[in-house]
Amino acid sequence: MTTPPTRATAHALPLRRLTSALATAALLALAGCATAPPPLPLPAEPVRLRILALNDFHGNLKPPASGWRIPDPADPTKRINVPTGGAEAMATMLDSLRAQAPHHVFVAAGDLVGATPLLSSLFRDEPTIEAMNLMGLGVIAMGNHELDRGPAEVLRLQNGGCHPTDGCKGPQPFTGARFQFLAANTVVRASGKTLFPPYAVRSYGGIPVAFVGLTLEGTPSVVAPAGVAGLRFGNEVATVAALVPELQQQGVQAIVLLIHEGGIPTGEFNECPGISGAIVDIVKRLPKAVDLVISGHTHRAYNCIIDGRPVTSAGANGALLTKIDVVLDPITRDVSSAQAENLLVSTAQFAPHPRLTELIASYERLARPLARRPVGRLGAPFSVRTDAAGASALGSLIADAQLAATRRPEDGGAQAALMNPGGVRAPLGGEGLLDIAYEDIFAVQPFANQLMTLTLSGEQLMQTLERPLSGARQRPLHTSRGLEYTWDGARPAGQRLLRESVRLNGQPVTPDTTLRVTVNAFMADGGDDLAPLRAGRDRQPGVIDVDALEAYLKANPGIAPDPAPRVMRLN
C-alpha cells in the first residue's frame, strides 16, 4: 500500500515548464525575421476541455442487473443497489455533459468488447461498436479482451466488413469503428510496427492534446495463446518514455495516457484514501510530461492523485463515467489544471436515448429466439460476491457443472473441476428473477470456452492452487464439490496454500497422487498465470462451458447455493 493519495482535484502546472515556455516565447519574439519558423497562433485565453472517459464496458448495451452498490443515504452502515448503466442512458448522459462544454472528447481505456453479454457477443460485438459510434467515442486504448478472438478480429472491428466465416448477421452492413483504436506497446512481430497507432493528437481551441493508448504488458498471461499469436507487448513506462520526445517535437505538451491497467483502491467510487496494484508503480515511473492517467482492467472505480497526477477509473460494465475538466494554458500549451469526478450512469436520471433504443431493438429482434430459450428455475440466486476466503456460490456452481459434464469415462473421467474467478462475469438470478433463460447463463460465461480434462499429479494441482494466491490480488480458484483446501494470507507469497489441507472426497491429496481434473481451455493453456496446467497429460476435450452449465441447471431444477465451504482461509 502506498502513501494514501487524495481525490483528484487539481493538477498544478510545474514551475519549470512555465519558465521554459516563457523563455522560448521570448526568444521567438526577439528572433524577428530570422529563419526560425513562426510560432503557432496561441489562444488569448485558457482553453477548457472536458474529457469523458469509460473503461471495461464489456458490451453491456443493456443495464447490468447488479447495478452499482453505494452507501444507503438513509443509513450509511448499509449499502443499496442503484440501477445504472446501459447504452441508452449513457448516450443521454453524454449529450448532457457535452452540452456544458464547447470543447469535449469521449475516450476509453480498453475492454470495450470481449466477455460480452449475448446481445453483443452473438453478433461478434458489432452492436457495441455501432453503439459507441452513435455515442461519439473518439479514441480507445486496446485492452486485453479486445484480443479474445485474435488480432485479425479486432482489426475487422476497426475497419468493418463481414466476419470471414460467420458472414454478416446484423440488421445492417457493418462498417467498422468511427473511433480510433490505439496500441502503443502492442507490436506485430513480423513487421515491427504497432497493431494500431500509438497515439492520436486532437486540437482544442488551437492547442494540441495527445492521447496515448496502452494495454497491459502482461496481456499474454490473461489472453489465450491464439489471441496474442504474432504479437509482443512492450513495457508500459518504457513505451511512453520513448514517445514523449516525439510528441514534444511536434509541439505537443498536453499528454493524456489511456492505459488498460489498474489498481485496487479503498474508499468509494469517487474517492481514493489508498490504492495498491500495478498502476501505482507505473504512474510513479512515467515521464513528468504525462499530465493525467485514465486507467482500467481491475474493474474498480477510483479518483486518485498519484505522483501529483490525476489517475482515474470508471469501474466496469458502463455503470459510471469519468468527467475530467482540464484547463489548457495558452502560453505553455500544457495542462495547467485537471479536476476529475466519477459519475453514476443513473437509469432513473437519464432517459433512454432514441437512437440507441432503436439500435438495440434491431439486434434484440434477431437474438430473441436464442436469448429467451428457457433453461430452468433456481431455488435461490447465485452471487458472484466472494466470502472471506475468496469463494463464490456461482463459481462453485460452475465447477460442479463442469465436473458433471466430464465425469464419465467417455468424457474424460474427471474427478474434480477448477474454475478461474475471472471467468465468472455476472450473477445468476435475483429476487423474483429465478426463471433462467439462455441469455442469463451466457452473461455468466460469455467466452464459449471448451472444457478440457487433464491428468495432473497432486504436486501439479497444488502448484495450480497456489498461483492465484501469490499475486497482488489473491483470487483463489473455485472448486467442485468434494475438492477442498485452506490458505493462509499471512504466509509469504508462494507458500500460502496449506498443502496438507488439500483433500478430494475426504482423502488427502499428496504430491504423488494422480487425478483427472477438468478446467476450461483458457486455463488449460496457462491463462490467468496458471502455467502448471500446461503440463497436464492425456487431454480430453469436452463440451463448451456454457452448454455444461445449461445441462446442469436443467438436470437440477430448484438448485440453490451449496452452504458447505470448499475453500477456507486463515488470516
Side-chain angles (χ1 to χ4, degrees):
M1 185 70 69
T2 64
T3 302
T6 60
R7 175 179 165 183
T9 53
H11 174 45
L13 179 69
L15 179 60
R16 62 177 179 79
R17 286 197 202 172
L18 179 60
T19 303
S20 175
L22 290 173
T24 301
L27 286 171
L28 288 171
L30 290 171
C33 296
T35 57
L40 294 172
L42 296 174
E45 300 292 335
V47 173
R48 301 183 183 277
L49 169 65
R50 173 163 289 180
I51 301 174
L52 302 169
L54 176 71
N55 55 274
D56 298 274
F57 183 69
H58 290 291
N60 280 268
L61 298 169
K62 304 291 288 183
S66 56
W68 192 268
R69 290 176 64 79
I70 65 170
D72 186 346
D75 183 355
T77 64
K78 299 178 181 179
R79 302 183 75 81
I80 59 172
N81 271 4
V82 177
T84 56
E88 294 164 285
M90 183 179 292
T92 302
M93 182 178 183
L94 284 165
D95 282 353
S96 174
L97 292 169
R98 283 189 283 231
Q100 304 164 7
H103 300 293
H104 50 74
V105 62
F106 179 29
V107 302
D111 281 8
L112 184 66
V113 299
T116 50
L118 185 67
L119 182 62
S120 183
S121 184
L122 185 62
F123 302 98
R124 294 277 180 170
D125 289 322
E126 294 171 13
T128 296
I129 300 298
E130 291 173 349
M132 290 297 155
N133 285 343
L134 290 176
M135 284 192 268
L137 185 64
V139 294
I140 176 175
M142 186 180 71
N144 58 284
H145 277 290
E146 267 80 31
L147 290 168
D148 281 348
R149 294 173 173 144
E153 177 64 356
V154 69
L155 285 168
R156 186 185 73 86
L157 294 180
Q158 175 75 85
N159 299 321
C162 297
H163 188 269
T165 57
D166 290 353
C168 292
K169 292 184 175 181
Q172 62 272 326
F174 179 63
T175 58
R178 295 200 292 268
F179 51 90
Q180 179 63 59
F181 283 91
L182 304 174
N185 64 332
T186 304
V187 177
V188 180
R189 292 183 185 275
S191 67
K193 298 180 179 179
T194 56
L195 183 65
F196 291 108
Y199 58 82
V201 178
R202 303 285 187 264
S203 180
Y204 304 98
I207 299 179
V209 178
F211 297 90
V212 178
L214 299 172
T215 189
L216 65 156
E217 183 181 6
T219 293
S221 69
V222 293
V223 174
V228 294
L231 302 176
R232 63 176 173 84
F233 297 83
N235 176 264
E236 300 96 339
V237 174
T239 299
V240 175
L243 290 174
V244 165
E246 179 180 328
L247 290 168
Q248 291 178 332
Q249 287 173 6
Q250 299 174 38
V252 179
Q253 298 297 332
I255 301 175
V256 177
L257 178 59
L258 308 173
I259 179 170
H260 194 69
E261 180 60 286
I264 308 298
T266 58
E268 297 299 329
F269 67 86
N270 206 30
E271 300 175 347
C272 190
I275 186 170
S276 59
I279 196 65
V280 178
D281 180 60
I282 289 171
V283 172
K284 286 184 174 182
R285 295 188 296 118
L286 286 173
K288 296 302 181 184
V290 176
D291 295 289
L292 59 101
V293 178
I294 297 166
S295 65
H297 186 55
T298 58
H299 289 200
R300 305 293 290 272
Y302 44 84
N303 185 1
C304 303
I305 293 289
I306 301 175
D307 196 38
R309 288 175 274 211
V311 180
T312 67
S313 170
N317 302 330
L320 298 103
L321 277 175
T322 303
K323 173 175 69 75
I324 309 172
D325 286 326
V326 173
V327 177
L328 302 170
D329 187 279
I331 302 299
T332 65
R333 306 170 73 85
D334 205 347
V335 173
S336 61
S337 69
Q339 184 169 346
E341 184 179 9
N342 281 330
L343 304 170
L344 289 170
V345 183
S346 169
T347 56
Q349 182 179 356
F350 298 103
H353 194 290
R355 294 186 69 191
L356 273 297
T357 299
E358 180 182 357
L359 174 73
I360 291 170
S362 69
Y363 279 100
E364 284 183 318
R365 284 191 292 271
L366 296 175
R368 188 171 293 118
L370 176 60
R372 296 313 304 160
R373 185 174 77 198
V375 170
R377 183 173 176 81
L378 304 177
F382 284 80
S383 175
V384 294
R385 295 196 189 99
T386 56
D387 59 21
S392 76
L394 187 50
S396 298
L397 173 70
I398 292 170
D400 288 344
Q402 296 181 172
L403 175 60
T406 56
R407 63 168 25 126
R408 299 181 305 171
E410 61 268 33
D411 294 320
Q415 299 163 271
L418 301 173
M419 181 61 194
N420 58 318
V424 186
R425 308 299 297 195
L428 189 62
E431 297 301 328
L433 298 172
L434 299 179
D435 288 308
I436 301 302
Y438 185 78
E439 64 181 343
D440 301 317
I441 61 171
F442 192 91
V444 172
Q445 292 190 278
F447 297 104
N449 266 315
Q450 188 175 33
L451 299 185
M452 195 71 65
T453 305
L454 322 168
T455 297
L456 299 176
S457 68
E459 176 65 26
Q460 290 168 331
L461 174 63
M462 292 180 203
Q463 291 176 7
T464 300
L465 294 174
E466 179 71 57
R467 294 298 279 261
L469 304 175
S470 299
R473 298 175 70 191
Q474 294 158 20
R475 304 180 71 192
L477 295 176
H478 303 301
T479 64
S480 56
R481 186 179 288 107
L483 180 57
E484 303 170 355
Y485 66 95
T486 301
W487 64 285
D488 187 344
R491 295 175 66 166
Q495 303 175 32
R496 290 178 178 145
L497 176 70
L498 303 183
R499 288 177 159 237
E500 67 278 6
S501 72
V502 183
R503 291 179 173 269
L504 179 61
N505 300 322
Q507 299 301 310
V509 174
T510 62
D512 57 356
T513 301
T514 299
L515 62 164
R516 296 283 285 167
V517 178
T518 294
V519 296
N520 60 54
F522 170 69
M523 298 169 66
D525 286 337
D528 273 356
D529 197 32
L530 299 174
L533 290 176
R534 292 184 191 147
R537 298 180 289 106
D538 306 321
R539 296 186 170 216
Q540 173 66 45
V543 300
I544 301 301
D545 53 8
V546 70
D547 295 338
L549 181 57
E550 180 177 25
Y552 192 71
L553 292 173
K554 286 182 175 178
N556 294 274
I559 192 170
D562 180 5
R566 306 174 189 183
V567 180
M568 282 71 71
R569 178 179 183 177
L570 303 177
N571 302 309

